[in-house]
Amino acid sequence: MGKAAHPLPAVCYDGFNAEKVSPSGINTVHLPLLQCLKRCPLIPVFLDSEVMSETHSPDGAVTVTERRCMVDVEAPRLLKRMAGVDYLYFIQRNTLNRRERTLHIEVHNETFSSRVFVRELCNYTVHPENEEWTCFEQTASLDIKSFFGFENSSEKIAMKQYASSIKKGKEIIEYYLRELEQEGVTHVPRWTPSLAPKAAPLGRLTAPPLSSITANTTSSSSFHRTVTVDDLPVDKLDADYIRRYLGDLTPLQESCLIRLRQGLQETHKGKIPKDQHVLRFLRSRDFGLEKAREMLCQSLTWRKQHQVDFLLDSWERPGLLADYYTGGWHHHDRDGRPLYILRLGQMDTKGLVRALGEEGLLRQVLSINEEGLRRCEENTRVFGRPISCWTCLVDLEGLNMRHLWRPGVKALLRIIEVVEANYPETLGRLLILRAPRVFPVLWTLVSPFIDENTRKKFLVYAGNDYQGPGGLLDYIDKTILPDFLGGSCMCELPEGGVVPKSLYRTAEQLESEENRLWADAIYKSASVFKGAPYELLIDIAEVSSVITWDFDVCKGDVVFNIFHSKRAPSPPRKEAPGATPLVGGANLPLIDRNWTLGQDYSKVETALACREGESVQGSHITRWPGFYILQWRFQGAPACAASSLPRVDDVLASLQVSSHKCKVIYYTEVLASQDFRGSMTSLESSHSGFSQLSAATTASSQSHTSSGISR
């Protein structure tokens, strides 16, 4: 392949792309390159090459050389006989520009050019911020149109040859550098235009030191810094700066950081994240420059759109968080990382979601991450070494099935998605303590949405295992061990408990939030009118699928029904898979008036009467494919048989319900049977925080259902 025709240095192989930074200036690197382009004993398959043409610019700055290279590919003898060749020939065109200090190499195949097209491009350029360094970029492509029926085998052989030779690139450059040094060539000066060029004086070849960086960071945000051209000295990243603020970096990693930062300066008008945060994105993508750039640019756009840089200064933290959000910062771990403690088992997750709204809960989590970035910077200054992430301790004492409340899990997954995309590599370690039996269920639901590198940082302790060898004291000093874990240090966290329903936000308040971080909300709202029920269509393709629901009756009284039909209701308009409302605000009926109950459609569950203020959760395991309709129907005040006088509750209800209108907010989800972890117990325990339950269960011979009500 083209790679075999001219071996090139590389330290990274990713498909057909390679990048490298060499610590020698391009003036010295191009000499061994020109040597190995002629003949390379370190790669036996490269047999020989001959110069076909060579041209020079009038001032001697540019030299273009075209060679014909002979390669002996390690292929099966049968394949060589069928192809009718013993060797392959490639055409190589090298352009050395001494003025611009670049070397451009282009290779394509001459043999079988009508059947196979091989093309390789290599560029050597001066490092943009350290002229003593050389940047190397390489791309290659292979297109096999036809090759005697051995297309797949030929492709594998080509890939093997390419990967084998590219790994030897660094060894080859070092080999020829030593040869030049033995010949007395230890220094090559920069090219300068001259009418009568003289022989270049020779000197000692020295490895240039790492360059240094100092930049003004006058910015109120812990995330950004403002950099101007005057602030950027010629030399950038020196060893002291790297050791003090960034940690150990290889030359390739340092180059990726500088190149990514330079690109951001051009596209973001000088206001870019600090080096520590740019490194987080590079590390999360294994220093893949393009992937890291794409991820970081999307994050910067998100931060600007939602004013995240000013979140800590502008967001007013709701007062109920001080009483019911059981988390907070607590000193640091043994590595100097900021320590955040969350007592998840003591938290009323549903109450917080309903009282704060999804937006409020997300902003709380974002503020924690923004504060974490600040604390990392502070600890870096205090401990004198780079600290770029924090440790999180999660106490699960008290965790039970109520925390598997489906809308709460859904909100958690969406929060994880936002954090993973915008705060990569900020979690250094996650210590999960006193994990109960229900924890594997929660982990099964959450773990697929967590990055693999992040999952490796999780340490889980069941019961009191954290107190033994290899436990908590290996990571946290005994002097700061929280009192609720048997330590002597007071940890001032809220006690948690049930969030009063009086603090819940109404559907109108949830819908009217400004500057939404999420385009859509987990809960949907619906109006139910007398004579015009609200109906939701769910298309089920597989039997034993589980329809789950969670809704609150915000205004008025309703009757909840579930119907099944093999016929598609009208209008047959679908907006999304799963739960698909077809009625909108007009409450157009899905059940045709000409349909007959028991023939065209059937009621699969007994009707459930729901009063204002009640929360209802339940599930239905389907037994047939087809169309299921969830219906909320207006319920009028019932007549009292025992007395002709109206009850006080009925009078108050009639005053509250005006214009024969009810209001509900709902959440529905369809689960595969193997993913459904619910049972009567789990559903009841998920109601409205820790409130007392009044469960109502219905079942029929046609399906299995569980449902519960909390007031």
Side-chain angles (χ1 to χ4, degrees):
M1 189 175 172
K3 183 68 184 79
H6 93 86
L8 294 172
V11 295
C12 167
Y13 175 66
D14 179 12
F16 278 92
N17 297 304
E19 294 183 354
K20 181 182 180 355
V21 177
S22 170
S24 301
I26 194 169
N27 295 332
T28 53
V29 169
H30 84 269
L31 289 180
L33 280 173
L34 296 179
Q35 291 290 332
C36 69
L37 293 178
K38 300 175 182 177
R39 180 72 184 271
C40 184
L42 295 181
I43 301 184
V45 297
F46 184 31
L47 300 179
D48 200 0
S49 66
E50 59 175 330
V51 177
M52 300 174 62
S53 65
E54 185 171 290
T55 59
H56 303 271
S57 63
D59 59 359
V62 180
T63 299
V64 179
T65 305
E66 192 167 296
R67 288 186 176 87
R68 189 170 186 259
C69 306
M70 184 170 62
V71 179
D72 183 12
V73 178
E74 296 178 359
R77 182 175 299 178
L78 176 62
L79 183 60
K80 286 187 175 182
R81 286 187 176 182
M82 293 187 64
V85 297
D86 291 325
Y87 307 112
L88 302 180
Y89 291 90
F90 292 84
I91 303 301
Q92 183 186 90
R93 180 183 175 88
N94 311 318
T95 303
L96 175 63
N97 191 325
R98 300 177 179 84
R99 183 188 299 105
E100 302 294 334
R101 305 177 70 192
T102 61
L103 176 61
H104 177 77
I105 303 171
E106 182 177 353
V107 180
H108 67 272
N109 61 304
E110 181 184 68
T111 308
F112 302 122
S113 58
S114 61
R115 296 177 177 270
V116 180
F117 180 73
V118 178
R119 188 168 184 263
E120 184 178 14
L121 299 175
C122 302
N123 284 295
Y124 288 81
T125 58
V126 177
H127 197 285
E129 298 190 15
N130 188 338
E131 62 181 16
E132 295 299 327
W133 285 63
T134 302
C135 292
F136 163 52
E137 297 182 39
Q138 177 176 355
T139 61
S141 61
L142 171 66
D143 183 13
I144 301 179
K145 298 178 181 179
S146 64
F147 200 75
F148 312 104
F150 289 89
E151 289 79 12
N152 292 335
S153 299
S154 302
E155 183 178 357
K156 291 179 180 179
I157 293 173
M159 292 292 292
K160 181 180 178 180
Q161 293 283 343
Y162 187 83
S164 175
S165 59
I166 198 172
K167 291 179 181 178
K168 298 181 181 179
K170 182 179 179 180
E171 179 184 350
I172 295 168
I173 290 293
E174 291 175 346
Y175 171 83
Y176 282 106
L177 281 173
R178 287 192 297 268
E179 264 199 1
L180 290 172
E181 194 171 17
Q182 292 173 0
E183 295 173 3
V185 180
T186 57
H187 175 71
V188 179
R190 288 188 59 173
W191 177 87
T192 55
S194 175
L195 296 178
K198 299 179 180 180
L202 302 179
R204 180 173 178 79
L205 180 65
T206 58
L210 288 174
S211 47
S212 62
I213 176 170
T214 54
N216 295 335
T217 58
T218 56
S219 174
S220 59
S221 170
S222 63
F223 180 82
H224 284 99
R225 67 171 180 180
T226 301
V227 182
T228 62
V229 176
D230 295 336
D231 293 330
L232 298 176
V234 175
D235 292 332
K236 294 295 291 182
L237 301 175
D238 73 353
D240 291 337
Y241 173 81
I242 294 175
R243 176 186 56 80
R244 180 71 171 78
Y245 295 101
L246 303 181
D248 296 332
L249 295 178
T250 66
L252 174 63
Q253 293 170 346
E254 181 187 347
S255 173
C256 289
L257 172 61
I258 294 175
R259 294 169 63 189
L260 179 53
R261 190 180 59 198
Q262 184 184 39
L264 292 175
Q265 290 172 5
E266 297 173 355
T267 57
H268 289 77
K269 300 181 180 179
K271 190 174 184 181
I272 61 174
K274 296 179 180 179
D275 291 340
Q276 295 89 332
H277 203 63
V278 175
L279 266 179
R280 293 185 179 104
F281 285 84
L282 284 167
R283 288 190 176 113
S284 70
R285 292 297 178 262
D286 295 325
F287 285 87
L289 191 58
E290 291 305 320
K291 293 180 180 179
R293 178 186 288 114
E294 180 182 1
M295 182 183 182
L296 180 53
C297 289
Q298 291 176 353
S299 179
L300 292 176
T301 302
W302 172 82
R303 295 181 69 91
K304 182 177 180 181
Q305 179 182 358
H306 301 291
Q307 299 293 300
V308 179
D309 292 340
F310 310 102
L311 181 64
L312 291 179
D313 300 325
S314 61
W315 183 56
E316 295 184 5
R317 194 167 181 259
L320 67 91
L321 288 173
D323 297 324
Y324 300 103
Y325 192 87
T326 54
W329 294 98
H330 181 75
H331 300 283
H332 55 80
D333 68 3
R334 291 186 180 273
D335 296 324
R337 296 166 174 168
L339 175 63
Y340 189 84
I341 296 179
L342 179 65
R343 303 192 68 182
L344 182 61
Q346 307 301 315
M347 188 181 297
D348 179 9
T349 53
K350 176 174 181 176
L352 286 174
V353 172
R354 290 298 314 278
L356 289 173
E358 302 158 53
E359 294 291 317
L361 188 60
L362 176 59
R363 291 182 189 278
Q364 165 68 2
V365 175
L366 295 183
S367 69
I368 293 172
N369 282 271
E370 290 294 307
E371 178 65 24
L373 295 178
R374 285 189 178 182
R375 288 177 178 264
C376 285
E377 289 189 9
E378 293 174 1
N379 287 19
T380 296
R381 291 191 293 268
V382 171
F383 293 100
R385 61 177 184 272
I387 296 174
S388 61
C389 54
W390 52 83
T391 295
C392 186
L393 187 155
V394 180
D395 180 21
L396 297 183
E397 184 185 41
L399 186 80
N400 55 41
M401 294 300 291
R402 73 173 180 272
H403 291 90
L404 299 184
W405 171 64
R406 292 299 305 179
V409 173
K410 187 78 170 182
L412 175 62
L413 297 179
R414 297 174 73 173
I415 289 174
I416 290 175
E417 184 179 3
V418 172
V419 172
E420 285 281 327
N422 298 284
Y423 300 92
E425 297 297 317
T426 54
L427 181 65
R429 185 180 294 115
L430 180 63
L431 303 170
I432 301 176
L433 274 56
R434 301 195 278 197
R437 292 182 178 180
V438 73
F439 174 73
V441 179
L442 181 61
W443 178 246
T444 300
L445 297 172
V446 173
S447 60
F449 296 87
I450 302 176
D451 181 75
E452 181 180 357
N453 291 331
T454 303
R455 291 201 300 269
K456 295 177 181 178
K457 304 172 184 177
F458 285 37
L459 296 174
V460 183
Y461 300 92
N464 293 323
D465 292 349
Y466 70 93
Q467 297 176 349
L472 191 57
L473 291 183
D474 285 4
Y475 306 101
I476 299 177
D477 192 89
K478 185 177 181 180
T479 59
I480 65 168
L481 188 66
D483 53 332
F484 62 87
L485 293 176
S488 58
C489 185
M490 293 298 296
C491 185
E492 299 180 358
L493 296 179
E495 292 294 330
V498 184
V499 178
K501 280 196 171 184
S502 59
L503 298 179
Y504 283 13
R505 305 182 72 180
T506 64
E508 289 78 7
Q509 289 174 327
L510 293 174
E511 291 176 351
S512 63
E513 289 181 340
E514 297 179 355
N515 191 25
R516 296 186 64 89
L517 291 158
W518 278 321
D520 59 326
I522 292 179
Y523 275 98
K524 309 296 182 184
S525 64
S527 297
V528 181
F529 299 93
K530 186 175 182 179
Y534 188 92
E535 297 174 340
L536 191 72
L537 179 65
I538 300 178
D539 187 358
I540 297 296
E542 297 182 2
V543 297
S544 298
S545 296
V546 183
I547 304 173
T548 65
W549 59 83
D550 179 283
F551 66 87
D552 286 10
V553 184
C554 303
K555 184 179 181 181
D557 299 340
V558 298
V559 176
F560 179 65
N561 287 296
I562 306 176
F563 301 99
H564 172 264
S565 174
K566 296 182 179 179
R567 298 171 54 184
S570 295
R573 177 168 54 91
K574 299 182 74 172
E575 298 176 358
T580 309
L582 301 183
V583 293
N587 288 37
L588 299 175
L590 294 175
I591 301 176
D592 195 289
R593 292 184 178 182
N594 297 323
W595 284 10
T596 302
L597 184 62
Q599 296 181 4
D600 301 295
Y601 70 106
S602 60
K603 181 185 292 187
V604 297
E605 298 301 335
T606 303
L608 182 64
C610 309
R611 302 290 296 274
E612 180 176 329
E614 290 181 345
S615 297
V616 182
Q617 298 85 33
S619 62
H620 176 89
I621 303 177
T622 62
R623 295 191 61 180
W624 309 285
F627 300 92
Y628 287 80
I629 300 173
L630 275 57
Q631 182 194 76
W632 289 267
R633 180 168 51 82
F634 179 87
Q635 181 185 34
C640 183
S643 173
S644 60
L645 297 176
R647 296 184 303 167
V648 175
D649 291 345
D650 295 335
V651 173
L652 294 176
S654 65
L655 293 175
Q656 294 175 355
V657 181
S658 60
S659 304
H660 303 290
K661 177 182 177 181
C662 300
K663 189 82 171 182
V664 298
I665 59 173
Y666 66 89
Y667 166 84
T668 61
E669 185 176 2
V670 177
L671 304 174
S673 58
Q674 62 269 22
D675 297 331
F676 182 61
R677 308 290 180 177
S679 64
M680 186 58 205
T681 302
S682 67
L683 286 166
E684 290 182 0
S685 62
S686 71
H687 297 165
S688 188
F690 312 107
S691 57
Q692 187 175 2
L693 304 178
S694 173
T697 306
T698 60
S700 70
S701 60
Q702 299 174 342
S703 63
H704 304 279
T705 300
S706 62
S707 184
I709 303 175
S710 64
R711 294 178 173 83

